[in-house]
Amino acid sequence: MILLSVAWDAIGGLVDAHERFLAGARVDSDVRDSVLDSWKRCRYAGVEPDRLLSPYASDLALDHRFLHAVEPVLKRLTVSLAELNTTIALCDGQARMVERHGGDRKLRARLDGVNFAPGFDASERAAGTNGVGTALAGRSPVYVAGREHFADCLQPFACAGAPIRDPLSGRIEAVLDLTCLRDDGDPAMMRLVREAVRDVETRLLEQATERERALLTAYRRADHHARGGDHDGDGGGWPPRPQSRLQPLPAPPGHRVTHDGSALGPIDLAVLREKAEELIATPHRTLDEVVLSGGRTATLLRRQVRGAAGETGVVVEARVLGGPRLRHTGPTAVTPAAPSPPPSVKSARTPPVVLRAVPAPPPAPPSEAGDADAAADADAWLLLVGEPGVGRLAVLARRRLELLHDAGVRIGTTLDVARTAEELTEVAVPRFADFVAVDLPDSVLRGEEPGLLGADTPLRRVALGAVHEGSWLYGVGAAVRYVSSTPQARALEGRQPVLEPELTVDGGWVAQDPARGERALRAGIHSLIAVPLRARGAILGVAVFYRSERPAPFEDDDLSLAQELAGRAAICIDNARRYTRERNTALALQRSLLPRGRSEQTAVEVAYRYLPAQAGVGGDWFDVIPLSGARVALVVGDVVGHGLHAAATMGRLRTAVHNFCALDLAPDELLTHLDDLVGRLDRGEGWAVENTHQDSGIVGATCLYAVYDPVSRRCTLTRAGHPVPAVVGPDGTVDFVDLPPGPPLGLGGMPFETVDLELAEGSQLVLYTDGLIEDRLRDIDVGMDRLHTVLACVDRAPEDTCEAVLDALLPARPSDDVALLVARTRALGPDQVAEWPVPRDPAFVSRARAAVIDQLAAWGLDELACTTELVASELVTNAIRHATGPVHLRLLRDRALICEVSDGSSTSPRLRRARTEDEGGRGLFLVARLTERWGTRYTAEGKIIWTEQPLPSPLR
């Protein structure tokens, strides 16, 4: 029984969640999804938490090419973490550790003790949930801390790991991991490991570029020898330019102009490159013709080339017909087959294409079959070089698939509308667009139905992603109403995406805001796609994708990709909207069931806070209930789970506690009745309709109940599986009450124990739910220590105590509901209490009436003397006639005048209406009519009959 109580006392924590998971119970609400998925894989693999079998291999090695890329990154990372006690582990594609760097001797020794060392297998199958194996199994970065590890021996550590992919094939080559002690762990480790992995993948791209340069050198040599030049050994020897007068072409606005004035527009260049990429990726084709602007035609020729070290590749030469002949005047043009590197390595790449116009009569274009040699000898220029198996179009296709995969993983991680919109912008920028904006109506943000959106519907900028800050963009939170000529309005009206490849041609976009539009064009914005966010037949808003940094405009393929991204985001936004609606409903229900305002009582000064969880409305609740005799009941409870069911269950329990308090039950007896009620509800008794929900039970509800008497200054407490309360003395000392835990409500079969405390006036009683002291990244012991520290303060008001506690313990986005109740005790002094023992002699009734009149006169309550005299006379007479044991009469002057008569009998008087011929039975009826409230409460010695009368208005 003791073990059961201790286990339930840790309910909601990772320790309990891990045990419940191993026992086959559901723990979805207590464990992060990525960790829970890993636990499931570990269980399926047969991993035993208390015993690991880690295979060892002594001859592990990584490919030399990969090591060449990763070594400088590891060195920089080791230097940056030199002052932090953190190890850096490099593992191969099978999660076997190859290298380990950093960390002090003690940390390395502890890691060696758990076989997290070079040569050992760190996969989930061997080591359970960890930064290496889980990152490899989930194929994405992961952070694991403390008790999130599946294996017991790894729980003292925190780690962050991420897979390293080959940028061309997409295959995972290795895994990088940062590991430290749990207390030193920080989720910011994820950012460090992501940056390091990105640097490694960038260096792998640079290696691919070196292969392309070798192919380019081979092409230069072959071309030089074909033209009869002398080989100079450095890849030079480019054919000399014909000496003739230059005739530059006029350059339309927005096109790229060479230093001599001739130009090819950005669209022409983009078309040429796309066709060249297609030619490289198509082995059976050698020639292609491309129609350009201005009536010109370009001929593309595909040629094989082999480098000095045996590299094989393909080059594409171009010749423009129907206009000035174009020749190189600057560095050689190289458009790599690999994806473009990030800005940090652009300086290592070959400079961009520079073209010069040379007037010459264009020869006839070569034919597909017989004129390839003629095209090679013609005045052509190098457009593209790459490898046949990795044509850039194939790379782009893979990148699009990766982008869609990332969108499926990264969009919709939360059920928050604004955050989901932000995730769309984070996925699309800069991999697909340079700027992305998401505009939604306010109704969607509130969780309501969007209605029929049109061109004039007011929207709000909810999310904005940008490669840099742009003054032409509406900021987040700005109200937007699009004019009918804009692509956004046309997309909303037509419920179809709108592509604008050249914004200089589309004046309707600029008409939205001419000043902003001109600034946007000057900033380089040249293309956009507007996509309506459509989900389940309704339009939720619009997403707009812009390009400025990259010269290639959006095309039809980009339109389909934008539709796919927006479609996935729209479904997630609609899910978040529906969740917001349900959450608002549940929150409204819960708030309607929680206390409104402060109850009328003077025994304690009360302050409280309730904060719902980000995951959804839960079942935490509290209450302050006035009792008879100037006493007060303080209640805090927690129903496991979230949503409408938890809120409704909380309301039922709170109502039940109020009803039981009306009976003036002892604390342990009240919890016994509440436990029985929860058990009957779990069994389906008392439901109005058949309960078909499998998880609708409320086993796991906890409760703490305390009764404080300001006359005796005694507080009686009992609990059912709830965290222990804290008592802060007037001198600032903090004690956690050593209160037996008791089982959670609904289990039954075990009695609830009580503890009596005598509290000095001005003491603070702090009651709370487990969401305050425990979360997924913090153990309950750490939370209790922090609570002890923040409560240790002298003479602080309850309101200030609430603020200090929440500031110190509550995270920015709490994963569980939090209820906090702080009550500072008061006491009724001798001048507010009058008490007389009553002998069992009917003659004493007259003396009791006189004593009551004198006391009321001393209190200035002469207006109540007549009524109180009659009430006291009736109660004392009944006690002398019918009760046993000692009798006492007591008056209390609180917010009301309280008259109490106690005796040793357990028999309660019953109110009845006397018949005309009856000689008795009218006394209690008169008492009930003359007073505002009356009742009976039982004590260990007998019972107390009490009445309350309101004080005159000036004295309240």
Side-chain angles (χ1 to χ4, degrees):
M1 291 297 184
I2 296 177
L3 292 177
L4 176 62
S5 299
V6 171
W8 275 109
D9 193 31
I11 189 167
L14 280 172
V15 178
D16 182 67
H18 193 266
E19 294 299 325
R20 287 186 286 129
F21 174 81
L22 295 177
R26 297 183 61 179
V27 294
D28 304 48
S29 61
D30 301 322
V31 185
R32 289 190 292 135
D33 291 342
S34 58
V35 174
L36 181 58
D37 291 341
S38 176
W39 285 6
K40 292 177 181 178
R41 292 192 296 266
C42 295
R43 181 171 61 185
Y44 296 153
V47 180
E48 298 182 18
D50 56 348
R51 184 178 63 178
L52 297 183
L53 300 176
S54 299
Y56 177 81
S58 59
D59 55 346
L60 298 179
L62 292 172
D63 180 72
H64 176 74
R65 177 183 64 88
F66 182 84
L67 289 177
H68 179 71
V70 78
E71 283 176 358
V73 178
L74 290 182
K75 289 181 180 179
R76 290 197 301 269
L77 191 59
T78 303
V79 172
S80 65
L81 297 176
E83 297 182 0
L84 302 177
N85 192 18
T86 302
T87 64
I88 306 165
L90 180 65
C91 303
D92 62 14
Q94 302 178 36
R96 300 174 300 182
M97 190 179 299
V98 179
E99 297 178 13
R100 191 181 70 187
H101 307 275
D104 62 18
R105 181 181 303 175
K106 182 177 178 181
L107 176 60
R108 294 195 301 270
R110 295 189 66 175
L111 292 174
D112 290 341
V114 296
N115 292 338
F116 194 76
F120 285 97
D121 189 353
S123 64
E124 283 187 346
R125 184 178 297 273
T129 304
N130 67 89
V132 176
T134 302
L136 183 61
R139 305 182 66 83
S140 62
V142 67
Y143 178 76
V144 183
R147 301 185 186 274
E148 291 181 329
H149 288 91
F150 190 80
D152 299 337
C153 63
L154 297 181
Q155 293 180 0
F157 304 100
C159 52
I164 304 176
R165 287 180 168 85
D166 185 315
L168 299 181
S169 67
R171 184 178 61 253
I172 294 179
E173 296 282 353
V175 180
L176 187 64
D177 173 88
L178 305 180
T179 298
C180 62
L181 294 176
R182 180 181 60 186
D183 293 339
D184 298 331
D186 191 333
M189 296 164 61
M190 286 278 285
R191 177 178 57 82
L192 294 177
V193 76
R194 280 197 182 103
E195 292 176 352
V197 166
R198 185 169 60 249
D199 291 343
V200 173
E201 293 177 349
T202 298
R203 291 183 58 82
L204 291 173
L205 277 176
E206 292 176 333
Q207 291 181 4
T209 303
E210 292 297 329
R211 288 176 55 84
E212 294 169 357
R213 288 176 177 168
L215 294 175
L216 176 62
T217 301
Y219 171 79
R220 285 176 170 176
R221 292 195 185 101
D223 188 83
H224 184 71
H225 288 300
R227 296 176 182 268
D230 295 330
H231 175 57
D232 58 7
D234 61 353
W238 190 260
R241 187 173 64 252
Q243 300 298 318
S244 60
R245 189 172 60 87
L246 299 179
Q247 299 290 337
L249 289 174
H255 288 56
R256 293 191 173 184
V257 182
T258 63
H259 65 275
D260 62 359
S262 61
L264 273 185
I267 295 181
D268 287 341
L269 288 176
V271 170
L272 285 175
R273 288 171 182 153
E274 284 291 323
K275 294 298 183 180
E277 292 158 3
E278 183 178 354
L279 199 58
I280 282 184
T282 310
H284 61 276
R285 295 179 58 192
T286 58
L287 288 173
D288 198 4
E289 287 187 355
V290 183
V291 178
L292 303 178
S293 61
R296 293 173 294 185
T297 302
T299 301
L300 304 181
L301 172 64
R302 181 181 189 272
R303 295 175 57 183
Q304 295 283 344
V305 65
R306 180 182 295 274
E311 306 92 340
T312 59
V314 175
V315 297
V316 175
E317 296 173 330
R319 176 175 171 76
V320 177
L321 308 175
R325 189 178 307 153
L326 301 177
R327 292 290 307 279
H328 273 278
T329 61
T332 305
V334 179
T335 302
S340 301
S344 60
V345 298
K346 281 186 177 178
S347 59
R349 307 301 301 268
T350 308
V353 173
V354 180
L355 302 176
R356 181 185 295 274
V358 180
S367 63
E368 177 79 26
D371 294 333
D373 293 338
D377 293 337
D379 193 3
W381 48 277
L382 177 63
L383 178 62
L384 194 67
V385 60
E387 298 181 58
V390 197
R392 187 166 178 266
L393 276 183
V395 174
L396 287 176
R398 182 182 60 77
R399 291 175 65 188
R400 292 182 183 222
L401 289 175
E402 289 181 351
L403 181 60
L404 290 176
H405 173 268
D406 289 349
V409 172
R410 295 173 56 186
I411 298 177
T413 59
T414 68
L415 289 173
D416 181 85
V417 173
R419 179 57 191 151
T420 303
E422 291 172 0
E423 289 169 343
L424 171 61
T425 66
E426 292 169 358
V427 168
V429 176
R431 297 167 63 182
F432 177 65
D434 300 314
F435 301 90
V436 177
V438 179
D439 302 326
L440 304 174
D442 290 336
S443 58
V444 172
L445 296 175
R446 295 191 298 266
E448 302 170 3
E449 294 293 335
L452 184 61
L453 302 188
D456 59 345
T457 302
L459 303 177
R460 189 167 301 280
R461 179 62 49 85
V462 177
L464 176 64
V467 291
H468 58 74
E469 184 177 355
S471 60
W472 59 274
L473 295 167
Y474 291 109
V476 174
V480 183
R481 188 188 293 267
Y482 289 108
V483 298
S484 58
S485 63
T486 59
Q488 295 92 327
R490 302 203 311 265
L492 290 173
E493 286 285 353
R495 303 169 69 89
Q496 295 294 329
V498 175
L499 168 64
E500 292 294 345
E502 287 194 77
L503 291 177
T504 54
V505 179
D506 177 41
W509 175 74
V510 179
Q512 172 67 29
D513 189 329
R516 289 180 181 270
E518 292 299 329
R519 289 201 303 268
L521 293 176
R522 289 196 298 269
I525 297 295
H526 59 79
S527 182
L528 73 78
I529 296 177
V531 186
L533 297 172
R534 185 173 182 175
R536 301 179 178 94
I539 301 297
L540 306 175
V542 63
V544 190
F545 304 85
Y546 300 89
R547 277 188 179 174
S548 65
E549 302 297 311
R550 62 192 79 194
F554 285 118
E555 298 179 348
D556 290 338
D557 289 343
D558 298 313
L559 183 63
S560 61
L561 180 57
Q563 282 184 277
E564 185 67 26
L565 291 174
R568 297 191 182 198
I571 292 295
C572 295
I573 289 174
D574 192 52
N575 290 340
R577 178 192 65 81
R578 291 166 179 256
Y579 169 77
T580 300
R581 180 184 60 192
E582 297 298 328
R583 185 176 186 272
N584 290 341
T585 302
L587 189 59
L589 172 62
Q590 186 181 46
R591 286 175 175 169
S592 68
L593 297 174
L594 287 172
R596 296 184 180 182
R598 303 180 187 274
S599 57
E600 295 183 1
Q601 53 83 33
T602 56
V604 291
E605 178 187 355
V606 174
Y608 52 81
R609 297 290 188 275
Y610 170 76
L611 287 88
Q614 293 294 329
V617 176
D620 290 16
W621 56 284
F622 64 91
D623 221 330
V624 179
I625 306 173
L627 301 176
S628 63
R631 299 170 305 136
V632 65
L634 306 174
V635 194
V636 172
D638 185 1
V639 177
V640 174
H642 296 89
L644 283 172
H645 175 70
T649 301
M650 175 272 292
R652 301 171 82 177
L653 295 185
R654 180 171 177 258
T655 301
V657 170
H658 271 266
N659 292 335
F660 292 144
C661 285
L663 300 176
D664 258 324
L665 299 177
D668 54 342
E669 187 178 354
L670 184 145
L671 282 192
T672 300
H673 284 283
L674 196 63
D675 176 68
D676 179 65
L677 172 64
V678 172
R680 287 189 288 110
L681 292 178
D682 274 334
R683 293 189 297 271
E685 301 176 17
W687 289 79
V689 294
E690 182 182 357
N691 180 12
T692 59
H693 295 284
Q694 200 173 37
D695 60 344
S696 60
I698 51 178
V699 171
T702 65
C703 184
L704 173 64
Y705 184 80
V707 174
Y708 173 69
D709 187 345
V711 178
S712 63
R713 292 185 291 104
R714 298 199 65 82
C715 183
T716 303
L717 306 98
T718 185
R719 65 172 176 148
H722 203 81
V724 295
V727 175
V728 184
D731 57 354
T733 58
V734 180
D735 294 306
F736 289 101
V737 181
D738 186 13
L739 184 60
L745 299 174
L747 295 185
M750 294 184 65
F752 296 97
E753 301 182 47
T754 61
V755 169
D756 287 329
L757 303 176
E758 184 174 341
L759 303 179
E761 185 175 3
S763 300
Q764 290 191 8
L765 190 62
V766 182
L767 289 70
Y768 50 89
T769 54
D770 59 356
L772 179 70
I773 58 174
E774 184 180 23
D775 60 33
R776 294 170 179 171
L777 300 178
R778 181 178 64 197
D779 289 341
I780 189 171
D781 293 339
V782 176
M784 296 287 283
D785 291 341
R786 291 185 183 178
L787 180 61
H788 184 281
T789 302
V790 73
L791 288 178
C793 183
V794 180
D795 195 24
R796 183 163 57 190
E799 286 287 344
D800 296 334
T801 299
C802 285
E803 290 296 329
V805 168
L806 295 184
D807 290 343
L809 277 82
L810 200 63
R813 298 175 66 89
S815 58
D816 194 7
D817 285 22
V818 174
L820 174 64
L821 179 63
V822 179
R824 181 160 62 183
T825 62
R826 296 167 175 159
L828 292 182
D831 58 333
Q832 295 177 275
V833 181
E835 185 173 6
W836 302 274
V838 178
R840 302 192 63 81
D841 182 0
F844 184 79
V845 175
S846 59
R847 293 199 297 271
R849 289 199 297 267
V852 167
I853 293 174
D854 292 342
Q855 185 62 54
L856 293 180
W859 285 343
L861 299 176
D862 299 279
E863 295 181 25
L864 303 178
C866 181
T867 302
T868 308
E869 175 189 9
L870 178 58
V871 169
S873 175
E874 288 294 335
L875 296 181
V876 169
T877 301
N878 283 342
I880 293 176
R881 286 184 178 180
H882 306 292
T884 60
V887 178
H888 287 81
L889 170 64
R890 186 171 74 166
L891 293 180
L892 303 177
R893 181 172 61 85
D894 188 34
R895 60 184 176 87
L897 178 62
I898 302 171
C899 178
E900 297 181 341
V901 175
S902 62
D903 58 57
S905 172
S906 59
T907 303
S908 175
R910 184 169 60 89
L911 179 65
R912 65 186 181 89
R913 184 182 296 273
R915 294 188 296 268
T916 305
E917 63 273 13
D918 290 343
E919 296 184 1
R922 296 176 177 84
L924 198 56
F925 178 79
L926 291 175
V927 169
R929 294 298 300 270
L930 293 174
T931 60
E932 186 177 56
R933 298 172 60 218
W934 76 279
T936 304
R937 71 173 181 268
Y938 295 92
T939 65
E941 295 80 18
K943 69 175 183 297
I944 297 175
I945 309 296
W946 57 269
T947 65
E948 285 188 7
Q949 302 174 71
L951 298 177
S953 298
L955 300 176
R956 290 184 181 178

